[in-house]
Amino acid sequence: MTEDELENQRTLERAIRVQHENAEIIVSWVLIGFIAFFAGVYFLWPKAATTTNGAFNAFPFILALYTPFLLLRLFLSYKRKLGRVTLTLSIFTDVFMVAAIIWSSHLQYGEAPPFALKSPTFTAFYMMIALRALAFSVRYLVLTGVSSMLAYALVVAYSFYAAPTLVTLDYPESANGNKLLFGTEVEKLLSLLTVTMILVLAVSRTRKLLLKSISETQANRAMSRFFSPEIAAKIKSSGVGIEPGKGEHRNAAILMMDLRGFTKLSTEMPANAVMKLLADYQSRMVSPIFRNGGTIDKFMGDGIMAHFGAASPSTTYAGDCLRAVLELESACHLWNAERRIANLPELQFGIACAVGDVIFGAVGDKDRLELTTIGEAVNLAAKLEKHTKAAAVMAVTTETMYYRSLDQGFKPAVEFRRIPQSPVAGVPHVLNLVVLAERPAQLEGVKPAA
């Protein structure tokens, strides 16, 4: 069994244990209600409960013994202290108390022993078995079913031993008098067995479904740690699975972000400090991207690549991307403010975005897949991100993307600075750029630091 399967099994056991403990409280109250009903019948209708011919009435003694036990059981169930031994003894006690009530009925009415087999209290065995299904425990369900059959079989055996002459093979005679018909009693025992088996199958199937649900929940939770919500949804909704070599054309926006000077920092700082800084950086920057409908394509050390409208079609991808850029700017300023308070050097960032036709699909092989985005917009966004350093700005985009975002509902709060006819390294023609975020004045001329 793999580690994931073991963890799923442990999670299932914890869930079942909680369900079982809650179910035991319900069982305790049902049993108290059950015995209270019989006590009410006994005390409210005394004529039906008077002894005749000097016969012994056992019900008050059974009630006196069973009631304190039920109250103790209720107390232990609320305290979550019904262990295996205690619960096993409780099941035996519950079942044999029902059998004792059935057995005592012939004494209560002064009838022959087979009279007890006509007692409607027999249906309480079904209740006992059904209550066990609430806890999703096959073990205790089987124990209750088997002990119910054994307890009732003892009542049948007593009736035969005490009155062997009252055995009959005639059903009408048995139904109309105090006669023992073994066929009828065997049918009752078989009915207990059948109900037990059906509930065992139902509980077993429910446990499997619960395990599957827990496994899927954990898989989805794990998936959400590696993929953005759109990617996770795409994987989960793919009925035939995602295969390498398959892609889809999209009009999308690509966002590139970089933490300046990280490569140098990684050689100067302790490994744990480097990873802590990287984790802090990524955790702060991912949320603004997700909030605006973006998808993390990949983490590239200190770089983040995200796309908007690639994983699933969107009519607002450009506007969503620019809104994310502005939130990223705010997140960067807030982080630097916290670092100033902690007497730590401030950090520099570069952000760029571009729009265009891209291909979104899976690369790799069947054993190791990666969902990614490729296309000219990806290349352009990467080059623009590098250009932010040469232009001494924090965030930049093309005029084409800016106007498209306006068409898609983006409403800037301020007028952004333009850089017309700007040469960008690696781009064969000049570009009209829009500066989305200026480099903070206090960082002018400051070298990147941790």
Side-chain angles (χ1 to χ4, degrees):
M1 187 177 288
T2 66
E3 184 61 33
D4 288 342
E5 290 173 334
L6 287 173
E7 179 59 29
N8 288 342
Q9 186 65 35
R10 287 192 288 267
T11 303
L12 174 62
E13 289 173 355
R14 288 193 295 269
I16 289 178
R17 183 169 62 252
V18 172
Q19 177 67 26
H20 177 74
E21 291 172 347
N22 293 335
E24 289 306 323
I25 297 175
I26 298 174
V27 170
S28 297
W29 279 112
V30 171
L31 291 175
I32 288 176
F34 168 75
I35 204 67
F37 170 78
F38 276 94
V41 171
Y42 176 79
F43 289 110
L44 292 177
W45 288 275
K47 289 184 179 180
T50 54
T51 58
T52 58
N53 302 325
F56 174 69
N57 190 352
F59 182 78
F61 295 93
I62 296 173
L63 183 64
L65 291 172
Y66 195 35
T67 300
F69 171 81
L70 288 179
L71 295 176
L72 175 61
R73 188 187 192 288
L74 180 64
F75 173 78
L76 293 176
S77 63
Y78 270 107
K79 292 293 184 179
R80 315 284 174 166
K81 292 183 178 180
L82 275 176
R84 287 188 177 184
V85 175
T86 305
L87 187 53
T88 300
L89 291 175
S90 173
I91 290 173
F92 280 124
T93 302
D94 294 337
V95 167
F96 282 93
M97 281 297 177
V98 171
I101 293 174
I102 294 173
W103 165 80
S104 68
S105 62
H106 82 284
L107 299 176
Q108 179 178 337
Y109 292 97
E111 299 289 344
F115 176 82
L117 304 179
K118 309 296 189 296
S119 173
T121 308
F122 173 82
T123 57
F125 285 128
Y126 298 117
M127 179 192 71
M128 296 287 184
I129 297 170
L131 285 173
R132 286 294 118 211
L134 293 176
F136 296 112
S137 174
V138 173
R139 178 192 300 113
Y140 295 123
L141 179 54
V142 171
L143 179 63
T144 305
V146 171
S147 59
S148 295
M149 293 175 64
L150 175 61
Y152 189 69
L154 290 176
V155 176
V156 174
Y158 166 79
S159 299
F160 173 72
Y161 176 80
T165 59
L166 296 180
V167 175
T168 182
L169 297 177
D170 190 328
Y171 174 73
E173 185 180 12
S174 168
N176 295 322
N178 293 341
K179 298 288 185 175
L180 171 59
L181 179 62
F182 279 112
T184 300
E185 308 313 319
V186 170
E187 287 180 3
K188 291 180 181 178
L189 293 172
L190 289 176
S191 69
L192 292 177
L193 177 62
T194 302
V195 168
T196 302
M197 291 176 63
I198 291 173
L199 289 177
V200 164
L201 289 174
V203 169
S204 298
R205 286 174 58 86
T206 302
R207 284 175 64 99
K208 289 180 180 178
L209 291 174
L210 183 58
L211 177 58
K212 182 179 179 181
S213 175
I214 290 173
S215 299
E216 290 179 350
T217 299
Q218 290 185 333
N220 292 341
R221 188 180 301 118
M223 189 181 298
S224 66
R225 296 176 62 191
F226 292 97
F227 303 106
S228 64
E230 290 80 7
I231 297 289
K234 191 174 186 67
I235 294 173
K236 287 184 287 184
S237 64
S238 177
V240 296
I242 295 176
E243 300 178 2
K246 292 185 176 181
E248 298 172 319
H249 279 277
R250 294 272 194 267
N251 284 315
I254 304 298
L255 183 150
M256 293 284 186
M257 183 172 186
D258 182 67
L259 174 59
R260 299 290 187 221
F262 182 78
T263 301
K264 186 173 183 293
L265 291 175
S266 64
T267 64
E268 298 175 348
M269 297 171 60
N272 287 342
V274 171
M275 297 309 295
K276 184 177 183 302
L277 176 66
L278 189 60
D280 195 11
Y281 161 62
Q282 292 171 344
S283 66
R284 290 170 182 266
M285 304 307 152
V286 166
S287 293
I289 294 172
F290 280 1
R291 276 197 300 270
N292 289 281
T295 294
I296 300 297
D297 188 290
K298 60 175 67 67
F299 293 109
M300 303 167 288
D302 59 324
I304 299 174
M305 174 181 169
H307 48 76
F308 297 74
S312 57
S314 169
T315 57
T316 59
Y317 57 88
D320 293 338
C321 184
L322 293 198
R323 278 186 283 270
V325 170
L326 297 183
E327 285 196 32
L328 288 171
E329 178 193 9
S330 298
C332 292
H333 291 331
L334 177 60
W335 193 14
N336 273 330
E338 292 175 2
R339 290 179 67 82
R340 284 197 298 271
I341 294 173
N343 293 319
L344 294 172
E346 296 183 36
L347 301 169
Q348 297 181 40
F349 307 90
I351 308 171
C353 47
V355 293
D357 185 60
V358 300
I359 299 175
F360 176 75
V363 295
D365 64 21
K366 60 183 179 63
D367 297 320
R368 175 66 174 87
L369 287 177
E370 180 178 323
L371 285 166
T372 190
T373 308
I374 59 175
E376 185 56 34
V378 177
N379 299 330
L380 179 56
K383 292 169 183 176
L384 286 174
E385 186 276 313
K386 288 182 174 61
H387 185 71
T388 59
K389 189 173 183 180
V393 298
M394 183 176 178
V396 70
T397 188
T398 63
E399 196 173 65
T400 300
M401 177 168 180
Y402 180 67
Y403 283 128
R404 189 172 300 182
S405 70
L406 295 179
D407 291 340
Q408 294 178 358
F410 176 66
K411 296 179 180 179
V414 297
E415 184 68 24
F416 295 118
R417 181 167 66 93
R418 312 296 177 90
I419 308 179
Q421 301 295 302
S422 177
V424 176
V427 180
H429 51 84
V430 294
L431 296 172
N432 294 323
L433 302 180
V434 177
V435 178
L436 300 174
E438 302 284 355
R439 185 179 180 187
Q442 66 270 27
L443 294 181
E444 292 295 338
V446 177
K447 293 183 180 180

